[in-house]
Amino acid sequence: MNGLLVGRSAELARLARVLQSAAEGTAGVALVGGDAGIGKTRLVSELVAEARGRGFHVMVGQCAELGDALPYLPLADALRGADPAVCAAASGRPLLGQLLPGTESAPSTGLTQQRLFGSLLGLLAEVQPVLFVIEDLHWADRSTRDLLVFLSRMVQSEQVCVVGTYRTDDLHRRHPLRSVLAELKRLPTVTGVELGPLGTGEMSDYVASLGEVGARELGLIVSRADGNPFYAEELFAALAEGDTLPDGLASLLLSRVEVLSEAGQRVLRAAAVAGRRVEDELLREVSGLPLPEFEEAVREIVSRGLLKVDGYGYAFRHALLQEAVYTDLLPGERTRLHAAFAALLTSPAELAHHHLAGHDLAGALAASVQAGRDAERVGAPAEAHSHYDRALGLWDRVADAAELAGASRAALAFRSAVTAAASGDNHRAITQLKALPPTSEVSERLAYYLFETDDDYESAVAAARRAVESAADERSLARALATQARALTHGPRGDELEALAVRALEAARASGARDAEVGAMLTLATYLEQRRGDVARARELAEAASATPTGDLAMDLRARFHHARIHYEQGLLDKAAEVADEGVAMALETGLKWSTYGTDLRFLRFLIHYAAGEWDHAEAVAASFPARPGTASEAVLSSFALFIEVGRGLPGVERRLGWLRPFWSEELVLYMSRGMAAEHALWHGDPAAALEHVHAVLDRLVPGDNGALRVATVGLWALAELGTAEGADELLARARHVLERGLHGEPIHLGPEGVAWGLRAEAEWHRVHGRLDVELWRRVVAAFDFGFVYEAARCRWRLAEALLAAGERDAAQHEWELARETAGKLRAGPFEAALLEFGRRARFGGGRPDGGRPDGGRPGGGLTAREAEVLRLVAEGLTNREIAERLFIAQKTVSVHVSNILAKLEVSTRTQAAAAARQRGLLT
């Protein structure tokens, strides 16, 4: 009894717009919320019909009220009921295929959850256009919530529409979905749709669509239903059957159950214990009725609209009805029915649920442990951790717990900690591991997670040392030594690190622990490259680490990343590109495009394109980076896009900076985004703002951090533009500190790019002091000429200035022409504009003289690009504070710009400045 869709045209239109955008190639997510019975499923069914009419593949999955017991239940449900084309495509992807009936779980090779997510993203792209509906998100397991967040962030240009429904009245203050919804609704790809009660007129129309009803009865239903369509349907059905109308929805629902025969009530109660849906054969077994009597009872229930046929089983017409029947069960009755289901089921997760509800603690413990193992195999670490923790909570209440679990309590607690870390909760893992006996395995993982959290260097080193000292065999020793060597990379104990890594290699090779061997090789390679300058040996180690698989995909991707990175940082761009391409291909093939090292490989490939002057490729790669980040890792990736956007002067730089601003507490985001914001400000004639960005970054970087080289150099460029040497010595000192003392008080071995930035810092310092040193700038150009096309060209610009000042006009023009040629090929708009301005002033290539005007021949009274920007905002009526927020600069800087504008336009007020700007055509 669904009736017509009434009073939801606005909400349906919003969903239809999301679907239309997906059809046009802009993926989107819609979250439909409302109280139970308000019409969420009915609304979505209209969208499903529209999608099918447009040629979309439709996948619909239902969450169940089993908490975190069954990971990916709605995804498995959606795949089982999907079109044959979708099922065929899914079966070709092992991690998705294992969710289909009759398929064995694939053996784990690491990062299973990330691979599953990537596989689903690949599937959706392959079979697009797709509408994927997830019903009842308020019951979603943790992995399904993570999947929803992943899809909401990662679907971009695919023809994919994801719709989720949830009950608002179920979201108590600490409900895990609340924070997820708050996070998702901030994303530009997500549309929120809230369903409120229907109005009186709409409710009357809806009830009239259900069937014939008298005016008195119609008024009674409308007044009692309170705008809730499901409640109205139940009231209509009760009146149609001649029943009186009890108070409250639960009483109303139960009044409809009470008219069933005894057999019908018995079957319905058993179905309520099963959950929202139950298979026919299972329900018959639990009911205990003979087949003819059972079939007659089911037919009665279905005819009264309480259950509906769903495949080879039955589903409650609405979850509210199932909840009402289940709540009405007597305690003993409920326990016996749960036990009956537990005796017939085989799924460990469902068994654990029914055993626990049936007070069979031993059965619940055994099933929980097996459910945890199953969850690990399908890539659901959060659910595995939950199952293991439940078993641990029952441990002291069950005799022979270790025998039932097939493991000791310590071993189970260790797996619980490992799965907590795999689900992203390193702090929970650390807490659990600290409570366990400090075996070598426990101490090694503790050291590893402490290193990953970067919270306690000394504790990580101490735990790793304990792991080495307590290792009982060569394989455990190899892993412990590899982790101890890695733990030392953040500290000053370089000599210890090298010896430990060598020992780890020996132990790993002797025991056949390939993962430990590769980890030790990569740690040693990084140390030899950065601390010893032995680049040849570092490359050999990285190549050997990448040569054969370890069986651990995370380690294999890490090996390829470092192999490519070492070549990139040594200026060997062709080899770096080759290795990075192999790594990216591996990440895509295994569904790990968005894993940590899958992401790292893609941004490294972006940087290789950027340095090599392949800017069209770089821009294409950057297009896949999140535009509006929601997490720190997404903000890091988004920051990289600024290299190409600032370099080309693309629109949207300021918008991206605005989205990144909330993440400036993250050091890497701050370094990249504010570092590029400084260059953006310089290209727009605002060196004061650039200097603010530079100092903000340097204040956060530890002295000796490599990043200080580039940022300090940009700061010296800003000082030269400002015409002041104040602070120049301090900036040069920060750059020299990197070269001479590094992070640990000893010189570090930088690649050619680092050396080039060091030389450029020296040259910019001389430029600040009015000295244009031709030979120094020649050295800078030669240093960047290892293959860094853009930076070599930018330094030719400075070389041309120095040559012109030295009277070598022809040589200056030659360098200028080379720089212009590169700027044109790169389509580096701001750089090209600066070169044209320099060429005009130098009268290169027949450039027109400026006529001796004091403003340098620039239109608009000599306003800089930044001043022109400020003027436009002044003309819009913005205050200095509002302009500062819009342009991401200090209010004091805006005040300086406004003063300069008034002076250059020869006016005394902001109003006069706006009028003069309009009169001179400066606001176009």
Side-chain angles (χ1 to χ4, degrees):
M1 209 184 329
N2 286 321
L4 298 174
L5 185 68
V6 174
R8 300 298 186 199
S9 57
E11 293 87 347
L12 181 60
R14 293 187 71 189
L15 292 178
R17 284 196 293 272
V18 180
L19 189 71
Q20 177 62 31
S21 294
E24 294 170 354
T26 301
V29 177
L31 299 173
V32 181
D35 288 350
I38 206 68
K40 301 180 292 296
T41 299
R42 182 68 184 84
L43 176 66
V44 170
S45 68
E46 286 289 320
L47 187 72
V48 166
E50 183 173 339
R52 287 200 167 106
R54 288 169 171 257
F56 275 67
H57 292 292
V58 175
M59 299 166 57
V60 180
Q62 181 96 37
C63 300
E65 195 179 8
L66 292 175
D68 283 347
L70 289 171
Y72 305 119
L73 178 62
L75 176 57
D77 189 29
L79 290 172
R80 282 194 291 266
D83 302 336
V86 176
C87 288
S91 63
R93 298 170 184 270
L95 286 166
L96 291 177
Q98 68 185 352
L99 298 177
L100 294 170
T103 308
E104 293 294 324
S105 295
S108 175
T109 52
L111 301 176
T112 309
Q113 182 174 61
Q114 295 179 57
R115 293 174 60 210
L116 188 145
F117 287 5
S119 294
L120 178 60
L121 196 59
L123 171 70
L124 296 177
E126 180 183 341
V127 300
Q128 59 185 311
V130 182
L131 170 63
F132 181 18
V133 178
I134 306 175
E135 290 253 41
D136 295 326
L137 283 169
H138 50 280
W139 288 331
D141 57 278
R142 161 75 183 274
S143 291
T144 295
R145 294 193 299 271
D146 290 344
L147 177 63
L148 177 65
V149 172
F150 176 83
L151 291 175
S152 300
R153 295 191 180 288
M154 297 309 150
V155 291
Q156 296 180 27
S157 56
E158 298 87 354
Q159 291 178 294
V160 173
C161 177
V162 180
V163 175
T165 69
Y166 63 93
R167 284 193 203 169
T168 52
D169 49 336
D170 264 22
L171 300 188
H172 54 79
R173 188 171 59 86
R174 301 183 66 183
H175 195 290
L177 187 64
R178 285 181 72 94
S179 60
V180 173
L181 294 173
E183 176 185 348
L184 294 184
K185 287 181 179 180
R186 290 195 294 266
L187 298 177
T189 55
V190 175
T191 299
V193 178
E194 294 290 333
L195 300 187
L198 294 175
T200 301
E202 296 164 337
M203 203 58 168
S204 297
D205 292 342
Y206 180 71
V207 174
S209 75
L210 300 176
E212 292 185 10
V213 59
R216 178 180 172 280
E217 289 78 7
L218 175 63
L220 183 61
I221 292 172
V222 170
S223 64
R224 293 281 296 277
D226 207 18
N228 187 298
F230 175 70
Y231 198 177
E233 289 180 22
E234 293 302 311
L235 289 165
F236 179 88
L239 284 173
E241 293 170 2
D243 295 343
T244 58
L245 298 183
D247 293 329
L249 180 57
S251 299
L252 173 63
L253 294 173
L254 291 174
S255 71
R256 297 199 55 218
V257 173
E258 288 162 1
V259 300
L260 294 172
S261 64
E262 179 57 36
Q265 292 188 46
R266 183 172 178 175
V267 169
L268 196 64
R269 291 184 188 116
V273 171
R276 180 79 183 270
R277 186 187 180 282
V278 62
E279 293 293 326
D280 175 88
E281 187 175 349
L282 182 62
L283 182 60
R284 181 174 61 81
E285 290 284 345
V286 172
S287 73
L289 294 172
L291 180 60
E293 193 173 343
F294 169 77
E295 289 181 341
E296 187 59 37
V298 170
R299 186 171 282 106
E300 178 191 13
I301 297 167
V302 171
S303 69
R304 289 185 176 275
L306 301 175
L307 289 181
K308 59 183 180 180
V309 176
D310 184 17
Y312 292 101
Y314 311 98
F316 278 89
R317 191 171 62 81
H318 200 282
L320 286 173
L321 178 58
Q322 182 265 332
E323 291 166 17
V325 175
Y326 183 81
T327 303
D328 193 53
L329 292 172
L330 296 171
E333 184 180 22
R334 187 180 303 158
T335 299
R336 286 189 293 274
L337 285 170
H338 276 296
F341 275 106
L344 297 169
L345 290 167
T346 58
S347 163
E350 290 181 287
L351 275 174
H353 169 73
H354 287 292
H355 277 313
L356 197 61
H359 305 298
D360 179 359
L361 303 187
L365 186 147
S368 293
V369 173
Q370 187 56 48
R373 290 170 182 151
D374 289 350
E376 281 197 75
R377 277 196 291 272
V378 299
E383 285 68 30
H385 173 67
S386 177
H387 286 303
Y388 291 146
D389 261 15
R390 177 188 294 150
L392 289 168
L394 295 170
W395 197 274
D396 292 334
R397 301 163 64 190
V398 173
D400 301 320
E403 185 178 343
L404 289 167
S408 68
R409 181 172 191 162
L412 189 63
F414 178 77
R415 290 310 309 162
S416 179
V418 169
T419 51
S423 66
D425 193 349
N426 277 349
H427 292 289
R428 171 68 173 159
I430 288 168
T431 299
Q432 287 189 289
L433 290 171
K434 284 181 176 179
L436 292 176
T439 63
S440 180
E441 187 179 36
V442 167
S443 297
E444 186 275 330
R445 285 293 88 186
L446 177 58
Y448 191 92
Y449 299 144
L450 285 168
F451 176 85
E452 290 287 309
T453 56
D454 202 21
D455 283 344
D456 192 340
Y457 167 77
E458 292 298 338
S459 292
V461 172
R465 185 181 296 111
R466 287 196 302 273
V468 171
E469 292 169 351
S470 58
D473 55 67
E474 201 74 3
R475 184 176 285 265
S476 297
L477 178 63
R479 292 200 172 104
L481 286 167
T483 296
Q484 187 177 12
R486 191 174 185 225
L488 291 172
T489 57
H490 284 181
R493 306 176 192 178
D495 293 337
E496 288 182 58
L497 185 155
E498 184 173 6
L500 285 166
V502 170
R503 280 185 64 197
L505 283 175
E506 293 169 352
R509 287 164 181 164
S511 63
R514 176 64 181 163
D515 58 338
E517 181 187 8
V518 168
M521 283 194 286
L522 295 174
T523 299
L524 184 57
T526 302
Y527 169 77
L528 291 173
E529 172 207 9
Q530 297 178 355
R531 305 281 281 273
R532 288 290 189 85
D534 190 350
V535 177
R537 178 70 177 134
R539 288 208 302 268
E540 286 176 13
L541 285 165
E543 188 165 0
S546 302
T548 56
T550 64
D552 182 339
L553 284 171
M555 187 64 76
D556 292 342
L557 287 174
R558 180 184 162 201
R560 279 157 181 76
F561 170 75
H562 283 293
H563 189 193
R565 179 195 60 75
I566 289 171
H567 283 89
Y568 168 73
E569 292 186 355
Q570 297 307 317
L572 304 172
L573 299 184
D574 289 343
K575 182 63 175 177
E578 177 188 331
V579 177
D581 283 339
E582 290 174 2
V584 170
M586 174 186 283
L588 292 174
E589 288 165 8
T590 55
L592 290 172
K593 174 182 176 182
W594 291 102
S595 68
T596 299
Y597 281 107
T599 299
D600 288 351
L601 279 160
R602 287 190 297 125
F603 81 61
L604 178 60
R605 191 62 184 94
F606 166 82
L607 289 178
I608 296 167
H609 282 310
Y610 177 76
E614 301 163 350
W615 279 23
D616 288 342
H617 292 298
E619 188 174 343
V621 173
S624 69
F625 297 168
R628 187 172 183 176
T631 65
S633 58
E634 289 176 10
V636 170
L637 201 55
S638 182
S639 299
F640 278 97
L642 288 168
F643 281 95
I644 201 72
E645 291 178 349
V646 170
R648 281 190 158 169
L650 299 176
V653 171
E654 309 248 356
R655 184 168 60 251
R656 188 183 294 274
L657 286 171
W659 287 333
L660 288 169
R661 193 170 196 168
F663 298 95
W664 282 355
S665 58
E666 298 290 329
E667 188 174 291
L668 187 53
V669 178
L670 179 82
Y671 164 68
M672 288 196 298
S673 63
R674 296 203 74 170
M676 293 313 300
E679 292 199 19
H680 179 63
L682 282 164
W683 288 133
H684 284 76
D686 196 350
L691 206 56
E692 288 176 23
H693 289 299
V694 165
H695 285 307
V697 174
L698 292 177
D699 286 346
R700 284 286 302 280
L701 294 182
V702 176
D705 189 302
N706 292 8
L709 268 178
R710 178 174 184 140
V711 176
T713 303
V714 172
L716 289 165
W717 173 11
L719 288 178
E721 297 299 312
L722 286 168
T724 177
E726 186 179 349
D729 290 350
E730 289 80 1
L731 289 172
L732 182 61
R734 286 297 296 268
R736 286 177 173 173
H737 186 120
V738 176
L739 299 166
E740 297 168 2
R741 299 176 58 195
L743 283 169
H744 308 299
E746 59 187 37
I748 60 171
H749 297 271
L750 296 170
E753 185 186 348
V755 171
W757 280 107
L759 282 171
R760 183 170 167 188
E762 299 286 342
E764 291 285 3
W765 182 83
H766 282 285
R767 196 165 75 91
V768 169
H769 290 83
R771 296 187 292 271
L772 303 180
D773 189 324
V774 171
E775 291 310 312
L776 182 52
W777 278 111
R778 283 192 197 281
R779 289 173 61 200
V780 178
V781 170
F784 276 116
D785 236 358
F786 68 87
F788 206 147
V789 175
Y790 180 53
E791 293 304 339
R794 291 210 294 186
C795 293
R796 287 188 190 281
W797 170 31
R798 298 305 182 201
L799 175 57
E801 289 181 333
L803 287 165
L804 187 65
E808 299 181 44
R809 181 177 181 81
D810 290 344
Q813 181 157 353
H814 174 69
E815 297 294 340
W816 173 76
E817 287 171 350
L818 290 175
R820 272 199 69 192
E821 182 182 355
T822 298
K825 287 179 179 177
L826 297 177
R827 300 207 309 278
F831 180 33
E832 196 167 17
L835 287 169
L836 287 172
E837 174 65 12
F838 170 58
R840 186 192 60 75
R841 286 188 283 107
R843 302 188 183 185
F844 288 152
R848 291 176 298 176
D850 61 20
R853 285 167 50 184
D855 59 18
R858 285 181 295 212
L863 296 180
T864 66
R866 179 63 92 185
E867 287 166 354
E869 210 167 9
V870 171
L871 176 58
R872 281 192 288 274
L873 296 176
V874 167
E876 290 178 20
L878 273 65
T879 64
N880 284 3
R881 180 166 176 253
E882 291 168 332
I883 295 171
E885 290 174 354
R886 181 80 64 89
L887 300 180
F888 305 102
I889 58 179
Q891 195 169 332
K892 183 178 178 181
T893 303
V894 176
S895 178
V896 172
H897 285 317
V898 171
S899 297
N900 290 340
I901 291 166
L902 297 180
K904 290 180 180 181
L905 296 182
E906 300 178 343
V907 296
S908 57
T909 68
R910 296 162 77 96
T911 304
Q912 290 171 350
R918 292 189 182 90
Q919 191 175 29
R920 300 184 197 184
L922 302 180
L923 301 180
T924 56

